[in-house]
Amino acid sequence: HHSTPWQATHHSVHPSIKGVTTSSMRPYTRSHSRLFKSSSASSSRVNAAHVAGVVVNKRYKKSRGKKKYKKLNESLLPVTARNDAKRWDAEELLSCNVYADGGNKNNKPIQPKKDDNKKVKIIFINKKELFVPKQHVEKKGNGKGLSCVQDGVYQFVLTPRDRSLEVTRVAVTGMQAKLIDAYCDAIDKGSNNKRGSKCSIKSNTAFKYVCAGAAPNRASRGVTPVHHVIRNLDQESQKMILDHFKGIERLFKEFLPTSTVQQVLGGIDLVDAETFTIANGKSSEIYASFAVGKNVFLNSHTDDDFTYSCTTILCSDESKKNVFLAYFCFPRLGIAVPLRPGDTLFFNAREPHMISSRTTDDVDIYCLSFYLKSKVIGGNDNKKELNEEQKYYVTLFDEMSGNKLN
């Protein structure tokens, strides 16, 4: 177990850690994590976990952080929306269900039905209603990615395509078809369960969608590490999905800032959180769950996630391997990131976002997301007391945030 500032200063309620002051830390309490005002044990664990990795990072990782910052600057091209792109107001996004039509001009427009009597509004990508960045697309090679920073926080990072395909191995002939088979098996074993009430999931083909992974128990305390859907898959499918998780997590560690990586790893370590686990006990390092849907598009929403979530799309049609098949949209930012099969996009789930419909209806695509719910970090157990180290970080969190949470 790493040596932490808590172990050195646990006798003090107001630590004086060299290079770490409550004022220098305050920006971290308004960031990409879903944090809580509640003082319950589960909520307190989330807030403590958020702070723990940041403190360790501030103290030990400055030189590594500078090297990483230089690398990210070289490999990720900055994105800001053009002035003519509409930026949707956050309240406007809450008052109605906003979807993105990613269809090319010849494609039939989407017609999503109303949910909860909310008005439906549609953004048309082909009418340039959002800015679509393509400066990373090169004739030779795909060595550049994209990043968008706003309010001092990375809102999204699209990793360089070459690296994404290499690390996840989806460029290997037949690999996407095999992965799709494994995820389709999960869909068939699941019950078309949906992520949450904030999210309206639509499809213009037969509805196929499932979420699976470590999840808070609904009728009892605690978190179940091996989801029943995963347990019911054959061993080869389980291994294939876990290897996909591990590839995605390698990209997370490579293309997100050191502070972000350290924050999530330190937080998971502090609370001993469950991550995605298969029946033989092997598990991922960062993400706890995945959601996968066939030809789906979602309304603009936010998620209560602890760290940056990830999205990628898969398509077994080899002729479409370098074609943009959907857009991942950030309506408040006025940006729609175009996605090819195997692209990897990390995003701030606290920023309103949604996946568009397909660019063309003549090919099936599978949209995947990987995430770590704040409730999984909290452990879903208010009767389980915090240990001394966790209590220390709760105190530190309260001092740093003044309880002004996002």
Side-chain angles (χ1 to χ4, degrees):
H1 191 73
H2 57 67
S3 171
T4 67
W6 170 79
Q7 288 165 324
T9 63
H10 64 275
H11 59 277
S12 167
V13 291
H14 194 325
S16 174
I17 303 165
K18 191 176 179 185
V20 182
T21 63
T22 54
S23 60
S24 71
M25 293 281 292
R26 192 159 285 125
Y28 286 95
T29 59
R30 292 190 60 78
S31 68
H32 56 274
S33 293
R34 172 65 165 102
L35 305 172
F36 297 95
K37 292 180 183 177
S38 164
S39 59
S40 70
S42 292
S43 296
S44 295
R45 267 190 292 274
V46 176
N47 296 346
H50 175 74
V51 167
V54 177
V55 171
V56 173
N57 174 69
K58 282 269 181 182
R59 194 175 188 200
Y60 300 114
K61 307 293 179 185
K62 274 193 174 177
S63 60
R64 191 187 295 179
K66 281 179 185 172
K67 266 189 199 168
K68 180 74 155 296
Y69 185 70
K70 189 179 175 191
K71 179 194 168 177
L72 296 185
N73 270 353
E74 287 169 358
S75 58
L76 303 176
L77 304 170
V79 175
T80 49
R82 280 204 313 259
N83 290 336
D84 58 347
K86 177 174 178 182
R87 289 171 176 80
W88 289 66
D89 182 79
E91 286 188 15
E92 191 178 10
L93 291 168
L94 284 172
S95 67
C96 54
N97 279 337
V98 180
Y99 300 91
D101 187 324
N104 299 329
K105 284 176 184 171
N106 303 328
N107 222 48
K108 189 180 172 186
I110 58 171
Q111 294 178 306
K113 289 178 182 171
K114 262 189 182 185
D115 282 323
D116 308 323
N117 284 324
K118 275 189 172 182
K119 272 186 187 173
V120 168
K121 292 191 179 179
I122 298 173
I123 297 170
F124 290 93
I125 309 289
N126 67 25
K127 293 181 183 173
K128 299 184 179 176
E129 291 179 14
L130 295 176
F131 171 58
V132 178
K134 289 187 179 174
Q135 64 261 48
H136 60 303
V137 180
E138 298 170 9
K139 286 178 183 172
K140 289 184 181 178
N142 291 282
K144 299 285 186 186
L146 300 172
S147 70
C148 174
V149 178
Q150 189 158 313
D151 305 324
V153 174
Y154 274 93
Q155 300 297 350
F156 66 78
V157 168
L158 179 72
T159 68
R161 181 164 173 76
D162 286 348
R163 192 73 186 124
S164 177
L165 296 176
E166 180 187 354
V167 170
T168 61
R169 298 184 64 244
V170 297
V172 175
T173 305
M175 178 58 82
Q176 287 197 58
K178 284 181 185 174
L179 267 174
I180 287 169
D181 282 348
Y183 284 116
C184 277
D185 199 7
I187 291 172
D188 293 341
K189 297 279 194 301
S191 54
N192 281 339
N193 58 331
K194 301 186 180 185
R195 243 184 120 171
S197 58
K198 290 190 283 189
C199 187
S200 175
I201 305 156
K202 305 290 185 187
S203 174
N204 47 15
T205 57
F207 188 79
K208 286 182 175 282
Y209 186 90
V210 76
C211 307
N217 299 326
R218 287 181 182 175
S220 60
R221 299 196 306 273
V223 173
T224 300
V226 187
H227 195 278
H228 66 90
V229 165
I230 303 304
R231 202 180 288 284
N232 290 332
L233 298 178
D234 63 63
Q235 285 184 336
E236 185 58 32
S237 290
Q238 291 186 44
K239 183 181 182 303
M240 190 155 250
I241 291 172
L242 179 60
D243 286 346
H244 197 202
F245 264 78
K246 288 182 174 179
I248 294 292
E249 290 172 348
R250 245 179 97 187
L251 293 167
F252 184 107
K253 290 190 278 190
E254 206 170 315
F255 291 101
L256 284 170
T258 300
S259 57
T260 299
V261 177
Q262 197 64 32
Q263 184 242 338
V264 66
L265 292 177
I268 288 169
D269 187 47
L270 178 75
V271 300
D272 197 21
E274 302 288 358
T275 54
F276 181 78
T277 307
I278 60 176
N280 66 9
K282 291 185 177 175
S283 60
S284 61
E285 196 178 358
I286 295 169
Y287 288 123
S289 311
F290 70 85
V292 59
K294 179 182 178 182
N295 303 331
V296 293
F297 55 96
L298 279 65
N299 68 322
S300 170
H301 64 283
T302 59
D303 292 302
D304 294 340
D305 296 350
F306 183 71
T307 191
Y308 287 84
S309 299
C310 175
T311 194
T312 185
I313 59 171
L314 299 173
C315 175
S316 57
D317 185 339
E318 293 284 332
S319 71
K320 296 283 194 285
K321 65 182 180 182
N322 290 312
V323 176
F324 292 120
L325 294 180
Y327 299 88
F328 201 82
C329 306
F330 301 91
R332 202 183 66 91
L333 304 177
I335 297 170
V337 181
L339 295 176
R340 294 166 283 192
D343 280 342
T344 303
L345 180 79
F346 296 102
F347 63 94
N348 172 11
R350 306 298 299 145
E351 176 63 40
H353 59 272
M354 74 274 215
I355 187 75
S356 76
S357 60
R358 296 170 286 172
T359 56
T360 173
D361 287 342
D362 64 7
V363 65
D364 289 332
I365 68 169
Y366 292 82
C367 178
L368 274 151
S369 60
F370 302 87
Y371 53 94
L372 173 62
K373 287 280 180 205
S374 288
K375 281 186 177 176
V376 169
I377 290 286
N380 190 39
D381 189 349
N382 285 330
K383 293 197 173 177
K384 182 181 176 184
E385 287 192 13
L386 277 68
N387 64 31
E388 289 306 308
E389 187 176 8
Q390 290 166 0
K391 286 176 184 173
Y392 163 83
Y393 283 114
V394 170
T395 304
L396 184 55
F397 176 86
D398 288 343
E399 288 171 356
M400 289 188 319
S401 68
N403 272 329
K404 292 174 185 171
L405 300 182
N406 54 352

